[in-house]
Amino acid sequence: MTRCLLNIDLGELPGEDEQLYALAHLANIACGGHAGDEASMRRALELCERHGTLAGAHPSYADREGFGRKALDVAPEVLRAQVAEQCGQLAALARERGVPVRHAKPHGALYHAANKSPELARAVVAGVVEALGTNVTFVGPGAGALRDAARAAGLGYAREGFADRGTLPDGSLIPRGQPGAVLTDVARARENTVRLATGGTVDTLCVHGDTPGAVALAREVRAMLDALEQPPEPIGDSALRLVLPEAVDRGLAREALCALPGVRDAVITEAHACVYFDPATPPESPALVLTRLRVAPVAPVEHPLIRIRVRYDGEDLPKVAEHTGLTVDEVVRRHTAREYTVRCVGFLPGFAYLGDVDPRIACPRLPVPRTRVPALAVGIAGERTGVYPFASPGGWNLVGTALDFTAFDPQRGAVLHLGDRVRFERVDE
């Protein structure tokens, strides 16, 4: 494992959200000790295959009643057999489906107890090897008995950190049940992700599938890891292009980047920021500025809400309705039902890309752009909508006309700015 990967404990709860499998690099599948049965393991393996997620075993103390969260007095040889049985059950089902089991990670109390006891650690590792062989990676704490036992057995080892758990001053996890043990705040999960993934001490970060709000937490951690993985891309001698994680406030990002010494300007696009700087004083680390921005204790930005009155008379409105299988009135209703956010401003001065439209009315751009779109035409292109500030060529599907609205003021510039909120209101005239 050469980059920091997201692992998620899965197969533990009924009705588990499939999105977790799409977000995880590694799925730690409960295999009967604390949770899970044949049906849940089959479903987990199917979802791993569907989403390209690496499947792994998540054995535990045999403690379904306590969800494996209480240390039990189990003899090492008995523990070895229990771990081997659990991992073996998953391995057998995985072979039927043709999905390899790539890693193993102990669950809950077993994870912590075995890491403190070399004897228990050797028993856990022996059970894993008996069921899965030595061509697997063992996921565990950065140091301790589990790491030593896994390496002695010839297994690969991945050091783990926890994005959704609080830690004590010595770096150990706050015990469950105590204040701050489980983190459900996305901002705290971001902070853990940045601190751990950039600290060089972990190979993988965990989000627990049973944490409240697990999907939102996992999405945020995965986006952060993906962004950190991609270094700035040089563009000539005086510009860099950075990946912007989905949840970064675009307005704050531009302000933070422009404040770097030597930076002359920062242009924000849908997914990237282009930073232009003085070649004599290149910025030290614009990517790190963005990660700090996401975890800084700043007050939420209250972006204004702009209401735009629209007459829905666009010539492409019937074609959008036909493409989506909806009536014209339903397309209009869905277009006005959402509050949009300015994702970027470009193409024309004052042209704001607003997202996201209701997926049911998303419609691809025209195959051949028009040579002239009238000023204040309201259009849809893919998942974005927007208002043309001037008459210009364009390939968006025209659904209406904005009334009493100015997108660009010669004195003030663009009226809509990054992060502004927009609502469309239907006007029948």
Side-chain angles (χ1 to χ4, degrees):
M1 296 182 182
T2 58
R3 58 192 177 113
C4 194
L5 305 178
L6 172 60
N7 77 80
I8 304 181
D9 297 344
L10 293 167
E12 297 175 330
L13 301 176
E16 189 174 64
D17 198 314
E18 182 176 341
Q19 294 180 73
L20 292 169
Y21 290 84
L23 293 166
H25 295 105
L26 312 174
N28 315 313
I29 302 173
C31 40
H34 67 291
D37 54 22
E38 181 175 328
S40 66
M41 284 188 270
R42 287 186 185 279
R43 178 179 184 270
L45 291 166
E46 176 188 351
L47 294 178
C48 284
E49 183 179 39
R50 181 181 304 171
H51 295 288
T53 310
L54 299 179
H58 197 35
S60 167
Y61 282 121
D63 177 27
R64 296 181 71 87
E65 182 177 349
F67 204 71
R69 288 181 174 157
K70 181 180 179 181
L72 304 179
D73 186 11
V74 181
E77 186 57 29
V78 174
L79 181 60
R80 179 203 60 76
Q82 291 176 348
V83 170
E85 180 183 7
Q86 293 174 50
C87 294
Q89 289 177 355
L90 180 68
L93 296 172
R95 283 192 296 270
E96 289 180 10
R97 191 163 192 91
V99 175
V101 177
R102 300 289 193 185
H103 68 279
K105 170 189 160 183
H107 166 80
L110 179 59
Y111 183 99
H112 300 291
N115 199 48
K116 296 176 181 177
S117 166
E119 192 174 22
L120 293 182
R122 287 191 293 270
V124 171
V125 170
V128 168
V129 171
E130 180 180 331
L132 304 177
T134 58
N135 192 27
V136 293
T137 297
F138 198 97
V139 178
L146 282 172
R147 183 191 65 176
D148 296 342
R151 289 179 174 176
L155 303 183
Y157 194 83
R159 302 164 299 169
E160 182 181 42
F162 295 88
D164 60 353
R165 292 293 306 276
T167 56
L168 296 169
D170 64 0
S172 62
L173 296 180
I174 298 174
R176 285 182 180 269
Q178 294 187 15
V182 178
L183 305 180
T184 58
D185 181 5
V186 171
R188 293 287 304 281
R190 293 174 194 161
E191 183 178 358
N192 276 352
T193 300
V194 174
R195 175 175 55 83
L196 293 168
T198 61
T201 60
V202 301
D203 305 297
T204 179
L205 287 178
C206 174
V207 169
H208 294 85
D210 63 338
T211 296
V215 172
L217 292 171
R219 183 180 294 113
E220 193 66 24
V221 173
R222 177 62 185 264
M224 191 73 259
L225 292 177
D226 288 347
L228 289 172
E229 184 187 347
Q230 302 181 58
E233 175 188 354
I235 303 175
D237 296 327
S238 59
L240 293 170
R241 187 174 73 164
L242 317 173
V243 174
L244 277 179
E246 176 72 18
V248 163
D249 182 285
R250 267 48 182 169
L252 287 178
R254 185 176 187 279
E255 290 178 14
L257 292 169
C258 287
L260 288 173
V263 170
R264 293 172 171 170
D265 195 10
V267 176
I268 306 298
T269 67
E270 280 275 2
H272 299 86
C274 290
V275 181
Y276 298 90
F277 55 87
D278 183 345
T281 57
E284 180 179 355
S285 181
L288 190 55
V289 168
L290 292 180
T291 64
R292 288 173 179 161
L293 175 68
R294 292 162 63 80
V295 302
V298 296
V301 178
E302 185 61 33
H303 291 283
L305 174 63
I306 292 92
R307 298 184 182 276
I308 301 176
R309 300 169 69 242
V310 177
R311 181 175 62 243
Y312 283 90
D313 57 358
E315 59 184 285
D316 297 321
L317 184 56
K319 288 186 288 186
V320 172
E322 181 180 359
H323 172 80
T324 60
L326 302 171
T327 65
V328 165
D329 283 343
E330 182 63 13
V331 170
V332 173
R333 187 191 69 78
R334 289 175 181 264
H335 190 252
T336 56
R338 287 206 167 188
E339 180 177 288
Y340 301 97
T341 301
V342 178
R343 306 298 297 275
C344 66
V345 180
F347 167 54
L348 295 170
F351 190 102
Y353 290 74
L354 307 175
D356 293 335
V357 300
D358 185 311
R360 286 294 308 275
I361 63 172
C363 195
R365 296 170 184 260
L366 301 179
V368 179
R370 291 183 174 86
T371 57
R372 187 181 185 280
V373 173
L376 300 184
V378 178
I380 295 175
E383 297 178 347
R384 301 289 176 257
T385 185
V387 181
Y388 281 80
F390 312 107
S392 73
W396 290 38
N397 301 279
L398 306 184
V399 297
T401 304
L403 306 175
D404 308 319
F405 177 70
T406 300
F408 184 84
D409 183 282
Q411 302 301 320
R412 296 183 297 135
V415 172
L416 297 175
H417 301 94
L418 293 170
D420 284 354
R421 299 172 297 137
V422 175
R423 290 292 299 263
F424 292 108
E425 297 180 348
R426 180 174 187 168
V427 176
D428 293 317
E429 293 185 354

